[in-house]
Each structure stands twice: as structure tokens, then as C-alpha cells.
């Protein structure tokens, strides 16, 4: 009997294949970030003193200014829109509740190209003003400089506020409508109810949404580069590509990682210190108040502003260019860019969701201790900017590539070339690491919605762990898995910095094609690729809006 007990305890101590596979996947996801830190601490040429004395303070200062501006403006637009849509009835409220999510489909760099094209000296607005007032040139009137920090803040806020809007609206809808009715009965007006009741209750959700917007702001490259704003991310590009110093790029990437980790810690600390619980009984839903006359139309106008800036303007500008030059849809390179996008994005989506499924299932089988250790760590990739991941992937991968090629050459006399960095494999790996948190979150939530009794019954009937996953879990999770595949694929399509740094020679995706052509001021030629990216993004937003529709 004691021998049997010792065998059972030994079996529990030895990890099974699922647990080992989950740990291996976690190591692969975390490895690029660890590689960045290692390269930063052990550079071949330490330019940290030079960076600290010259460009790093400017990069960091500009990044903090952008974060402050985007955080404030995105919080104001997202919270205000969520409050109006949830608490009041006004003309257009029904479709605006969903339309306010549409800017999520717009990559920030597309919004930047559209804003510059519309507001620049040769753009539609200034051209119309000169024709209207008879001005001949720029000396006859004043117009604000477009390529500046304020424009970058405006564009980033207008496409990132939906993070705040979505989370805040959900938080407001989950509150009991009775507390607002009591507040109004005690004499608080609309502003008082918002300031003293709604805002404190929604503060954790607002903080989470702002943190997501700030992470995307730090990660952005295309927008700030187009506006000529030097941030930490542009510093990675210039130090690596122009200066040829991978160690210096890794050191700047380390600063970005530290900044991102601070944002994650602040966001989680804010949620921990500000928790609000619903009562045990089902709360009374919030009852929207009808805004009469001018007040209702004012609410409509306020909600239209972020929607117009974040969605209508970019789509209108790109569509006008595509309609004016229909021949650009047959331009050389567009088809290959679309094919490359589908192949790399599709492969990354399948790998991301598939490995997330394996990891979450393996972690759940291993117990809560492993879940608390592994799951939070593997979500950090989503917070890491694409430029940072590119440094952590390309430098080690290139070294491995050269060693493998040298070994093959020594053994066979044939030089195989670069087998990893010379193909799109590095891009796919970057996508998997960058968006693993999305796939993992969707899969973990899907597992949580399945009653534990079902797989237990399957195991009692003789099914193995793999059989229970294949025959019980996967049929019940098909919808969630399909949604995760779509969302990850769309994010891969929109990703720009990692693709720019990791792509092989003469390899374009839709996002890099938009970037290259817009950088050459050929926005008409870039419009078709931009519209395809937006259309794919709308598919994911439609799925999101469907999942968050009013009950």
C-alpha cells in the first residue's frame, strides 16, 4: 500500500506533457522581452552615457507629453460618450452606441495620413478657405502647424478613446439604476450625478481603458513619425537603422519596457484599491432619461465629434483618393502585399490561438499555482511595443541564423542563407508574442464558461486529457475560438513597427505598403491598402459591438 501511495505521489510530482508544453510556450512568449533586457545590459558598444546626455531625455519627455495629452483627451471623450449613451436618450443614440466603437478599426497611422492630407496647405480645408476669402498664399492668413505634437495627440486620442468608452460603458451598465434615481431624488442635477456618483463608480474601468490607450501611444511609430515627433519608439528605429547600434536600440527598448510595466502596475493597483461590488440580488437596470429639444441635439453633437474625427475623416479622405484614381486598385504590389498579409496574419492567428489553447488547458490541468505564475506573465507581450519585440527577436534570431548557416556550410559545403530572418518567420513569431495575451484571454474565458462536470464525466468514461479537450471543450468553444482568431488576425494586419523591422528584403504587407507610399506623399496609391485594412478592422469591431449590444 505504501509503494502504491509513493507511486501516486511521484506521478503528481512529475509534470505531464501538457504542463511541460505550457511552460515551453510561456518561455517562448517571454523570451523576446528577456532578450531585450540582456542585450541592453550587455551591449557590444555601450552608448548609454551618450544617449543619456543627448537624445534620451528628449525622447522620454516627448513620450510623456504625448501620454499626458492622449490620456486626458481619450479619457474625456470615452467617458463623456459612455455617460451620455448610457444615461440619456437623444436623437441617434441607438446607432451612435455602436458607431463610437468604429475608430478601433482605424490604425493610428492611417488617421495621421488623413488628417495631414485634409488640413495641410494643399489640403481640402485650407484650399477652401483660400477660395472663400480670396487669400493667395500662406502669408495672407494664419493656420496652426499640422506636423506637431498637438496633432499627434488629437489623432491618437480619436482612435484610442474607444478603449475607455467600451470599458466605462460596460461599468455604468452594470451599476444599479436605483442609486442614480435616489441621487436625483436628493436634488442632484445631471452634472452632480456624474461627478459625485457615476465618475467614482466607473473610475476602475476608466483607469483600465486609459492604461490601454497609453500602452498603444507608447507603442505607436507610424503616427509620430509622420508628424515629426521624436519619441522613444522612433528612437529605437533611428538608433538601430540609422546608427547601426542594436545595443543602443535595446537600451531604449528597456526604457520603454520599464514605462509599460509601470503603466501595468498602476492600472492593476488602481483596480485593486477601487473595487465596487454589485448586490447579491439582480440590480435594477439603468433607466435612461430623455433629453428634450436642444439638449438632446447637443448630446448628439458631442457624440458625433469623436466619431467624426476617429472614423469619418480617415475613411472619407482615403475613399476620396481611391475613387478619384480607380486605377490604383490594380497597381503593382498591392496583390502581393495583400497575399503576404493574409499568409503571415493567418499563420500567426492560428499559432497564437492554438498555442494559447494548449497553454491554458495545460495550466488548468496543472492547478491554480501554475495558473497564477504563468498566465499573467504571458500577457505582457501585448503590452510590449512591436519595436521592442523586434529588437528582442531579430538580434538573437540573426545570431542563431548565422551559426546554423555556418554549421551547414562547414558540413555540406552549401550555404543555405538566412533561414529564419531571411523569411517571414520572424514576423509571425513577433505577431504571436505581441498578441498572445488576446488569444489567451479569449480562450481562458471560454474555458471558464464550461461546467467542470462535463469534462469530468468524459474522463470518468475513459477519455484522455486530449480526448476531453477534443470531444468536449472544443465543440463548446468554437464560437470563442473563431472570434479570437478573427481579432488576432486583424491586429496582425494593423501592426506596423514589428513588421517594418523584421520583414525580409522586398517584402510588403498592407500596413507597410500604406506606410511606404504615404511617406512618399503618394496617398492616392496608399488608399486601397488602407481601406482594406480598415474593412478588416471593421469586421472585428462588428464582432465586438455584437458581443456588447444592449440586452
Amino acid at each position: 500500500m505504501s509503494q502504491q501511495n509513493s507511486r501516486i505521489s511521484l506521478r503528481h510530482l512529475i509534470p505531464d506533457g501538457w504542463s511541460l508544453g505550457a511552460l515551453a510556450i510561456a518561455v517562448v512568449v517571454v523570451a523576446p522581452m528577456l532578450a531585450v533586457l540582456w542585450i541592453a545590459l550587455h551591449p557590444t558598444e555601450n552608448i548609454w552615457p551618450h544617449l543619456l546626455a543627448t537624445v534620451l531625455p528628449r525622447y522620454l519627455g516627448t513620450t510623456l507629453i504625448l501620454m499626458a495629452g492622449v490620456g486626458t483627451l481619450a479619457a474625456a471623450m470615452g467617458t463623456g460618450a459612455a455617460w451620455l449613451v448610457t444615461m440619456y436618450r437623444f436623437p441617434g443614440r441607438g446607432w451612435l452606441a455602436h458607431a463610437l466603437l468604429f475608430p478601433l478599426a482605424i490604425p493610428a497611422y492611417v488617421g495621421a495620413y488623413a488628417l495631414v492630407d485634409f488640413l495641410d496647405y494643399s489640403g481640402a480645408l485650407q484650399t477652401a478657405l483660400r477660395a472663400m476669402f480670396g487669400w493667395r498664399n500662406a502669408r495672407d492668413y494664419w493656420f496652426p502647424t499640422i506636423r506637431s505634437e498637438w496633432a499627434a495627440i488629437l489623432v491618437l486620442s480619436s482612435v484610442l478613446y474607444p478603449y475607455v468608452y467600451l470599458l466605462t460603458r460596460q461599468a455604468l451598465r452594470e451599476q444599479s439604476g436605483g442609486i442614480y434615481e435616489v441621487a436625483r431624488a436628493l436634488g442632484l442635477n445631471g452634472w452632480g450625478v456624474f461627478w459625485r456618483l457615476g465618475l467614482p463608480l466607473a473610475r476602475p474601468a476608466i483607469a483600465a481603458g486609459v492604461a490601454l490607450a497609453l500602452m498603444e501611444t507608447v507603442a505607436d511609430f507610424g503616427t509620430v513619425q509622420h508628424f515629426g515627433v521624436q519619441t522613444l519608439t522612433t528612437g529605437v528605429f533611428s538608433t538601430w537603422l540609422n546608427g547601426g547600434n542594436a545595443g543602443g536600440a535595446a537600451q531604449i527598448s528597456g526604457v520603454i519596457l520599464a514605462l509599460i510595466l509601470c503603466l501595468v502596475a498602476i492600472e492593476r493597483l488602481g483596480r485593486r484599491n477601487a473595487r465596487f461590488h454589485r448586490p447579491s440580488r439582480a440590480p435594477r437596470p439603468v433607466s435612461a432619461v430623455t433629453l428634450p429639444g436642444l439638449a438632446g441635439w447637443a448630446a448628439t453633437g458631442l457624440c458625433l465629434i469623436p466619431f467624426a474625427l476617429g472614423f469619418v475623416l480617415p475613411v472619407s479622405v482615403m475613399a476620396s483618393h481611391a475613387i478619384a484614381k480607380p486605377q490604383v486598385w490594380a497597381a503593382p504590389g498591392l496583390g502581393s502585399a495583400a497575399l503576404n498579409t493574409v499568409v503571415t496574419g493567418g499563420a500567426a492567428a492560428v499559432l497564437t490561438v492554438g498555442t494559447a489553447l494548449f497553454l491554458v488547458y495545460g495550466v488548468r490541468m496543472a492547478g491554480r499555482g501554475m495558473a497564477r505564475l504563468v498566465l499573467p506573465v504571458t500577457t505582457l507581450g501585448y503590452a510590449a511595443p512591436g519595436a521592442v519585440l523586434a529588437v528582442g527577436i531579430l538580434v538573437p534570431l540573426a545570431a542563431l541564423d548565422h551559426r546554423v548557416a555556418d554549421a551547414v556550410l562547414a558540413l555540406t559545403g552549401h550555404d543555405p542563407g538566412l533561414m529564419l530572418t531571411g523569411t517571414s518567420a520572424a514576423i509571425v513569431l513577433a505577431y504571436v508574442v505581441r498578441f498572445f495575451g488576446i488569444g489567451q484571454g479569449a480562450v481562458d474565458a471560454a474555458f471558464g464558461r464550461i461546467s467542470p462536470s462535463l469534462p469530468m464525466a468524459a474522463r470518468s468514461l475513459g477519455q484522455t486529457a486530449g480526448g476531453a479537450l477534443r470531444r468536449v471543450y472544443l465543440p463548446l468553444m468554437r464560437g470563442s475560438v473563431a472570434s479570437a482568431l478573427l481579432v488576432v488576425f486583424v491586429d496582425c494586419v494593423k501592426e506596423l513597427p514589428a513588421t517594418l523591422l523584421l520583414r525580409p528584403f522586398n517584402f510588403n504587407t498592407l500596413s507597410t505598403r500604406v506606410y511606404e507610399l504615404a511617406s512618399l506623399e503618394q496617398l492616392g496609391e496608399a488608399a486601397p491598402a488602407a481601406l482594406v485594412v480598415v474593412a478588416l478592422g471593421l469586421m472585428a469591431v462588428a464582432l465586438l459591438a455584437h458581443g456588447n449590444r444592449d440586452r
Side-chain angles (χ1 to χ4, degrees):
M1 189 71 175
S2 60
Q3 286 183 339
Q4 185 177 359
N5 290 336
S6 64
R7 287 196 202 99
I8 294 174
S9 61
L10 185 62
R11 193 181 305 144
H12 282 290
L13 288 174
I14 300 175
D16 59 4
W18 291 96
S19 301
L20 290 175
L23 285 174
I25 293 169
V27 169
V28 172
V29 172
V30 177
M33 288 170 282
L34 297 179
V36 168
L37 297 178
W38 174 263
I39 298 167
L41 294 174
H42 302 84
T44 55
E45 180 186 354
N46 183 21
I47 65 167
W48 180 255
H50 173 72
L51 292 173
L52 198 58
T54 55
V55 295
L56 188 59
R58 183 171 74 250
Y59 292 157
L60 181 59
T62 305
T63 302
L64 293 176
I65 290 173
L66 280 182
M67 292 172 63
V70 172
T72 302
L73 194 54
M77 289 194 294
T79 306
W83 178 259
L84 290 174
V85 166
T86 305
M87 304 302 297
Y88 298 102
R89 292 191 187 92
F90 50 87
R93 171 180 177 262
W95 68 269
L96 276 171
H98 302 304
L100 284 164
L101 290 171
F102 286 5
L104 277 179
I106 306 294
Y109 51 87
V110 172
Y113 305 150
L115 185 71
V116 170
D117 185 76
F118 182 70
L119 296 181
D120 215 1
Y121 179 79
S122 58
L125 182 60
Q126 290 200 52
T127 301
L129 290 175
R130 289 194 298 271
M132 184 183 301
F133 295 102
W135 296 326
R136 295 183 178 179
N137 51 54
R139 292 191 297 270
D140 295 337
Y141 63 99
W142 176 87
F143 201 85
T145 305
I146 305 304
R147 297 178 188 263
S148 58
E149 291 177 2
W150 72 263
I153 290 172
L154 181 63
V155 168
L156 289 168
S157 302
S158 64
V159 299
L160 296 177
Y161 81 85
Y163 288 119
V164 183
Y165 167 77
L166 181 64
L167 296 178
T168 304
R169 184 179 174 224
Q170 189 65 29
L172 293 172
R173 288 168 58 189
E174 290 177 351
Q175 299 300 326
S176 172
I179 59 176
Y180 297 108
E181 295 174 6
V182 171
R184 294 189 185 99
L186 292 175
L188 286 179
N189 57 17
W191 175 254
V193 172
F194 169 75
W195 188 254
R196 301 183 62 178
L197 193 60
L199 189 60
L201 290 176
R203 184 160 59 90
I206 296 171
V210 170
L212 288 173
L214 293 182
M215 291 177 194
E216 293 293 338
T217 300
V218 175
D220 179 80
F221 171 72
T223 305
V224 292
Q225 193 271 342
H226 194 65
F227 285 121
V229 179
Q230 295 182 329
T231 64
L232 290 169
T233 304
T234 61
V236 172
F237 275 78
S238 61
T239 304
W240 192 359
L241 300 182
N242 300 334
N245 193 308
Q251 289 171 337
I252 298 177
S253 299
V255 176
I256 297 176
L257 271 181
L259 196 59
I260 291 293
L261 291 176
C262 287
L263 285 174
V264 173
I266 292 171
E267 184 267 333
R268 291 185 178 177
L269 185 64
R271 283 188 296 164
R272 187 188 68 184
N273 293 334
R275 291 179 177 175
F276 304 95
H277 300 279
R278 287 185 287 180
S280 56
R281 292 181 298 174
R284 187 190 314 170
V286 175
S287 179
V289 177
T290 302
L291 289 176
L294 188 60
W297 287 107
T300 304
L302 288 174
C303 289
L304 280 174
I305 291 173
F307 171 64
L309 285 174
F311 183 78
V312 176
L313 177 63
V315 172
S316 300
V317 170
M318 293 299 170
S320 65
H321 281 288
I323 293 172
K325 297 180 179 180
Q327 67 274 14
V328 296
W329 288 94
L334 179 60
S336 61
L339 179 61
N340 292 337
T341 301
V342 171
V343 171
T344 55
V350 172
L351 282 173
T352 301
V353 178
T355 52
L357 186 68
F358 191 104
L359 180 137
V360 172
Y361 190 55
V363 163
R364 282 177 168 267
M365 292 184 62
R368 294 184 178 179
M370 187 174 175
R372 285 194 297 266
L373 175 66
V374 172
L375 292 183
V377 173
T378 53
T379 59
L380 292 178
Y382 184 67
V388 173
L389 292 178
V391 174
I393 288 174
L394 187 58
V395 175
L397 212 59
L400 176 63
D401 232 352
H402 284 292
R403 290 186 180 182
V404 171
D406 291 342
V408 172
L409 180 62
L411 290 173
T412 65
H414 169 69
D415 187 358
L418 299 177
M419 295 178 289
L420 297 175
T421 53
T423 66
S424 58
I427 300 177
V428 173
L429 178 59
Y431 290 165
V432 171
V433 175
R434 175 86 166 87
F435 304 116
F436 190 83
I438 298 176
Q440 185 219 90
V443 169
D444 192 36
F447 271 112
R449 289 191 291 268
I450 297 175
S451 173
S453 60
L454 295 177
M456 289 172 63
R459 296 299 297 273
S460 67
L461 292 174
Q463 288 291 331
T464 62
L469 175 63
R470 186 174 62 255
R471 296 176 180 273
V472 177
Y473 280 112
L474 285 180
L476 296 174
M477 294 168 54
R478 283 181 299 180
S480 298
V481 170
S483 300
L485 285 169
L486 175 61
V487 173
V488 172
F489 174 74
V490 170
D491 279 338
C492 294
V493 171
K494 293 163 60 178
E495 171 62 30
L496 178 63
T499 313
L500 280 175
L501 288 173
L502 295 173
R503 60 178 176 158
F505 179 73
N506 204 25
F507 182 95
N508 260 333
T509 63
L510 290 173
S511 60
T512 61
R513 179 177 174 83
V514 174
Y515 168 79
E516 286 187 348
L517 292 174
S519 300
L520 297 173
E521 303 296 336
Q522 298 176 0
L523 200 59
E525 287 72 11
L531 289 174
V532 173
V533 172
V534 171
L536 291 172
L538 279 176
M539 293 169 57
V541 172
L543 180 67
L544 186 64
H546 177 75
N548 289 272
R549 68 186 186 278
D550 291 322
R551 294 178 180 85

